[in-house]
Amino acid sequence: AQKVTQAQTEISVVEKEDVTLDCVYETRDTTYYLFWYKQPPSGELVFLIRRNSFDEQNEISGRYSWNFQKSTSSFNFTITASQVVDSAVYFCALSGPGNTPLVFGKGTRLSVIA
Amino acid sequence: EPEVTQTPSHQVTQMGQEVILRCVPISNHLYFYWYRQILGQKVEFLVSFYNNEISEKSEIFDDQFSVERPDGSNFTLKIRSTKLEDSAMYFCASSEYDSNQPQHFGDGTRLSIL
C-alpha cells in the first residue's frame, strides 16, 4: 500500500526565513511519482512539481527547491526567503505506475508572518 | 494557460437531494478524476475515468455516486441521495496520457449538505 506522511501539521515562520516541509513516502513500486501541491486560503490546488523515482536530481525553481532522497524515502520541499504569499497548505502526493490515483499526505499548513 | 473549470463554486443542498457537480477538463487531456476534501482533512481519491468508463474507484465511491461524460467537454459527478457527511470540497482533475503526468486541478466545488 502507498502512504505519504507529512509529520509537520503546522509551521509558522517570519518573512524572509527559509523553511523546509518534510515528506516521507512508502511504496512497493519501483516506478513511482512524487508531487507537491499548494492549497492557498482560496482553496484551489496548485501543482508545483512532479518527480519520477528514477530522477534523484534536486530541482530549484526560483525560491523553491526540492530534495529527493530514495535512501530515506523522502521528498522535502524548501522555500527560501519566505513571503506572506507563501502562506498555504502544502500537500505531498504519490502515485504508482500506470493510471493509479494520487495518494496525498495530510498537508502542512505554512503561515508566514510579516 | 488552459485550466480545469468547475461549477458551481459553492452548492448548498438539503440532505436526501440529488446533486450534480460539473467539470470541464483541459481539452486535450484524456484522464479525468474526482477527489474529495472534507474540511481540514487531506485530499482523497474518489474515481478516475478514461475512454468513457471508470478506470478505478475508491471505497468512498459507493452506489450513491456516479460519473458521466455527457458530451465532449463536460465531466460530471452525481450524488444521488446526499448525506450530511458528503459535505466537502470536491475537486475535478485531468491529465494527459496517464496519471503519471501532472494532474491539474480545478478550483473545487464546496458542497454543503443541510
Side-chain angles (χ1 to χ4, degrees):
Chain A
Q2 296 180 328
K3 185 179 178 182
V4 175
T5 301
Q6 295 180 256
Q8 305 150 308
T9 305
E10 293 190 36
I11 300 176
S12 184
V13 299
V14 176
E15 204 171 22
K16 296 184 184 177
E17 285 185 1
D18 298 347
V19 58
T20 296
L21 310 181
D22 298 333
C23 173
V24 174
Y25 62 91
E26 295 176 30
T27 180
R28 294 180 182 173
D29 296 317
T30 53
T31 300
Y32 54 89
Y33 298 82
L34 294 163
F35 304 79
W36 276 94
Y37 285 85
K38 174 182 180 180
Q39 187 174 43
S42 47
E44 71 271 24
L45 284 168
V46 179
F47 166 76
L48 295 178
I49 189 171
R50 166 184 168 268
R51 176 64 91 220
N52 74 57
S53 52
F54 299 108
D55 183 3
E56 286 192 74
Q57 195 170 18
N58 290 335
E59 180 155 340
I60 298 174
S61 175
R63 296 184 297 107
Y64 295 170
S65 62
W66 290 270
N67 184 352
F68 175 30
Q69 291 194 339
K70 288 179 76 171
S71 60
T72 56
S73 296
S74 65
F75 186 45
N76 296 338
F77 172 30
T78 298
I79 302 174
T80 303
S82 58
Q83 299 175 1
V84 173
V85 293
D86 296 328
S87 297
V89 180
Y90 290 86
F91 290 97
C92 181
L94 166 71
S95 71
N99 187 29
T100 54
L102 290 174
V103 174
F104 283 81
K106 292 185 177 180
T108 297
R109 180 178 299 278
L110 174 65
S111 299
V112 181
I113 304 164
Chain B
E1 185 178 329
E3 56 183 29
V4 176
T5 57
Q6 290 185 243
T7 55
S9 56
H10 191 190
Q11 174 81 44
V12 182
T13 302
Q14 291 289 330
M15 187 173 59
Q17 296 294 308
E18 175 182 286
V19 66
I20 297 176
L21 309 182
R22 291 182 166 78
C23 170
V24 178
I26 295 174
S27 60
N28 65 330
H29 285 188
L30 302 177
Y31 285 83
F32 315 120
Y33 313 83
W34 284 101
Y35 290 82
R36 180 182 80 176
Q37 184 183 31
I38 294 172
L39 185 63
Q41 298 187 23
K42 67 178 178 180
V43 180
E44 299 174 293
F45 169 73
L46 291 177
V47 65
S48 58
F49 192 87
Y50 170 72
N51 200 24
N52 286 320
E53 61 183 25
I54 291 174
S55 297
E56 190 169 345
K57 59 183 181 180
S58 71
E59 294 176 351
I60 303 169
F61 194 86
D62 60 23
D63 290 344
Q64 70 162 343
F65 291 94
S66 63
V67 289
E68 193 177 32
R69 189 156 164 81
D71 52 45
S73 60
N74 289 286
F75 178 51
T76 62
L77 174 69
K78 181 191 291 186
I79 309 175
R80 289 190 185 80
S81 179
T82 50
K83 302 187 282 258
L84 292 176
E85 53 264 39
D86 294 328
S87 295
M89 181 76 94
Y90 288 81
F91 289 102
C92 175
S94 68
S95 67
E96 297 178 78
Y97 310 123
D98 63 44
S99 69
N100 298 314
Q101 297 295 322
Q103 292 181 26
H104 294 270
F105 284 78
D107 288 349
T109 293
R110 182 168 298 285
L111 178 62
S112 299
I113 307 300
L114 304 180

